[in-house]
Amino acid sequence: MFSFFKKKKEEEKVEEEVVLQEQKQETPLEEKPKEVIEEKVEEARKEPIEEPKEESSSKGFFSKALSKTFENIKAVVPQRKEKIAFEDIEEMLIEADMEYEIIEKAMDGLPEEITRKQLRHRLVMLFEHAPDVDLSNLPKPFVRLIIGVNGAGKTTTIAKLANKAKNDGKSVILGAGDTFRAAAIEQLATWAQKLDVPIIKTKQGHDASAVAYDTISSAVAKDIDNVIIDTAGRLQTQTNLSNELKKIVKVCGKAQEGAPHQKLMILDGTQGNTAIAQAKAFNEMVGVDGIIVTKLDGTAKGGALFSISNQLELPIFYVGVGEKQNDLIEFSPDDFVDSLLDEIYTTEQ
């Protein structure tokens, strides 16, 4: 993705240089043949562009997404070092919004001066409580139910998941199951049109479980690979919400045995550790299989991901870092931890 933007900038730079050179020669731009500019731009396209030397694109993505978290970290450890004091590491993790209970667990028994290798091992271990998920032999259609409170980014995340499925060569259908809000139905329908994917929807106030059933049935009839169903994030009471979600889950199982195959919880990254209480509530309602954290680019609370995964003992599947359809990446604990440590430690020899 970065190489694409780099190429784009190269093209724009070439066009600017052409215009400046023409102005120096006091030759009106109209007198220069359009083919000259196009030829130079085409030459720029053909020139090999050196790719950034990163361990992985995921790591580079985290480095950009966690910029606000890095600002807090650098306030505690402004210079990269080979070893960092225990107290500085502790303060840094607090500033990144990691819960103190989790910090104590990660830091227990570490020396007064901590190396990158020592800290990396402890931080990566915080994600080991999450179960491994086998996604190699998925049923067809593969049904995912998207749950979470309003405002967490459910609808946009559904669009990103649909876009990812299409990019992977898979067909996908959406179900507008948040029938409590007319705006949710309209927003998802707009995304479906933009992504050119089918959608099953109804009017506001209609039965959400019927939408789920019809979406899965349509996928079976049309041999579609992926089903992604939205759900309400708030009804009048938590009991109403719990009952509706349980009904949707039950009806999905009637439409296809074993469905939904994944119940994904969307958490707003800007809420940090307060999002954990939300996840626990939804987990008690219907059981959650995994987490997607949104808006990671807009917060200095990136350290909350350690607490979210460790306390909930659930895998974080994806993180969202923007509003565009491609602003979603698979979560890698190794790349996430390395991107943090790159900010405070010198490069290991």
Side-chain angles (χ1 to χ4, degrees):
M1 183 172 68
F2 295 131
S3 60
F4 170 79
F5 288 116
K6 191 169 182 180
K7 288 179 180 177
K8 192 74 175 174
K9 288 181 179 178
E10 286 287 317
E11 294 172 13
E12 292 171 353
K13 186 177 179 182
V14 168
E15 290 178 339
E16 289 173 359
E17 289 175 352
V18 171
V19 173
L20 288 172
Q21 185 63 34
E22 290 169 342
Q23 289 175 341
K24 286 180 181 178
Q25 296 173 354
E26 297 182 349
T27 304
L29 185 59
E30 298 80 35
E31 294 179 14
K32 283 284 183 181
K34 184 180 178 183
E35 290 77 10
V36 173
I37 297 177
E38 292 177 343
E39 184 180 343
K40 288 183 177 292
V41 172
E42 186 61 32
E43 288 174 1
R45 283 198 186 100
K46 293 178 181 178
E47 288 180 6
I49 297 176
E50 185 178 349
E51 296 291 338
K53 296 180 180 179
E54 295 181 76
E55 284 86 351
S56 72
S57 59
S58 173
K59 182 180 169 186
F61 208 62
F62 278 122
S63 296
K64 287 184 173 294
L66 295 168
S67 58
K68 292 189 177 181
T69 300
F70 291 160
E71 289 175 12
N72 283 9
I73 289 174
K74 298 293 279 186
V76 179
V77 187
Q79 299 295 329
R80 290 185 175 89
K81 301 177 182 179
E82 187 177 340
K83 293 184 177 182
I84 300 174
F86 185 101
E87 290 184 357
D88 287 343
I89 294 294
E90 195 175 51
E91 185 180 350
M92 178 197 79
L93 295 176
I94 291 172
E95 288 295 324
D97 204 43
M98 188 191 295
E99 282 191 331
Y100 193 70
E101 179 185 341
I102 306 296
I103 294 174
E104 284 186 316
K105 183 187 295 187
M107 303 286 286
D108 184 43
L110 288 176
E112 286 302 311
E113 295 287 326
I114 303 171
T115 65
R116 177 184 180 125
K117 186 176 181 180
Q118 290 169 328
L119 184 58
R120 185 186 191 281
H121 175 68
R122 294 298 185 89
L123 294 182
V124 172
M125 277 185 63
L126 292 175
F127 294 99
E128 291 184 351
H129 295 283
D132 291 329
V133 179
D134 183 11
L135 298 175
S136 60
N137 189 25
L138 300 178
K140 183 177 181 179
F142 179 54
V143 181
R144 283 177 285 187
L145 201 63
I146 310 302
I147 60 179
V149 300
N150 292 345
K154 279 195 291 99
T155 311
T156 305
T157 301
I158 290 170
K160 293 175 182 177
L161 289 170
N163 183 63
K164 186 179 186 306
K166 284 196 68 177
N167 290 340
D168 291 340
K170 303 291 184 180
S171 53
V172 60
I173 186 171
L174 306 182
D178 185 358
T179 57
F180 187 71
R181 292 191 309 125
I185 299 171
E186 292 168 6
Q187 187 182 3
L188 195 61
T190 300
W191 271 114
Q193 184 177 14
K194 183 176 181 180
L195 296 171
D196 191 25
V197 297
I199 183 172
I200 302 297
K201 61 180 181 176
T202 185
K203 294 181 180 180
Q204 180 185 7
H206 285 204
D207 187 6
S209 59
V211 173
Y213 187 92
D214 290 345
T215 307
I216 296 171
S217 299
S218 180
V220 172
K222 297 176 182 177
D223 198 31
I224 293 174
D225 299 308
N226 287 268
V227 173
I228 308 174
I229 302 172
D230 191 14
T231 62
R234 180 186 62 82
L235 294 178
Q236 293 90 336
T237 68
Q238 186 164 320
T239 301
N240 287 349
L241 175 59
S242 178
N243 290 340
E244 175 167 291
L245 291 177
K246 288 176 181 177
K247 183 180 178 182
I248 291 174
V249 170
K250 187 176 181 180
V251 170
C252 284
K254 290 182 178 180
Q256 183 193 12
E257 186 177 354
H261 306 106
Q262 270 189 357
K263 297 182 286 291
L264 298 180
M265 173 84 189
I266 309 302
L267 292 181
D268 183 344
T270 63
Q271 295 190 7
N273 286 305
T274 60
I276 294 175
Q278 294 174 9
K280 286 181 176 178
F282 277 92
N283 200 20
E284 289 172 4
M285 291 179 197
V286 292
V288 175
D289 299 308
I291 303 292
I292 298 177
V293 181
T294 62
K295 309 177 187 179
L296 198 60
D297 56 318
T299 180
K301 300 179 178 181
L305 270 64
F306 293 106
S307 306
I308 289 169
S309 179
N310 190 264
Q311 282 209 20
L312 298 174
E313 296 187 358
L314 290 169
I316 298 174
F317 285 119
Y318 299 98
V319 292
V321 291
E323 294 297 318
K324 296 180 181 178
Q325 61 200 44
N326 291 315
D327 293 338
L328 187 78
I329 59 164
E330 292 185 28
F331 179 75
S332 162
D334 290 304
D335 290 343
F336 174 63
V337 171
D338 281 335
S339 65
L340 289 172
L341 299 184
D342 284 347
E343 293 297 308
I344 59 172
Y345 280 102
T346 54
T347 305
E348 289 182 323
Q349 299 299 320

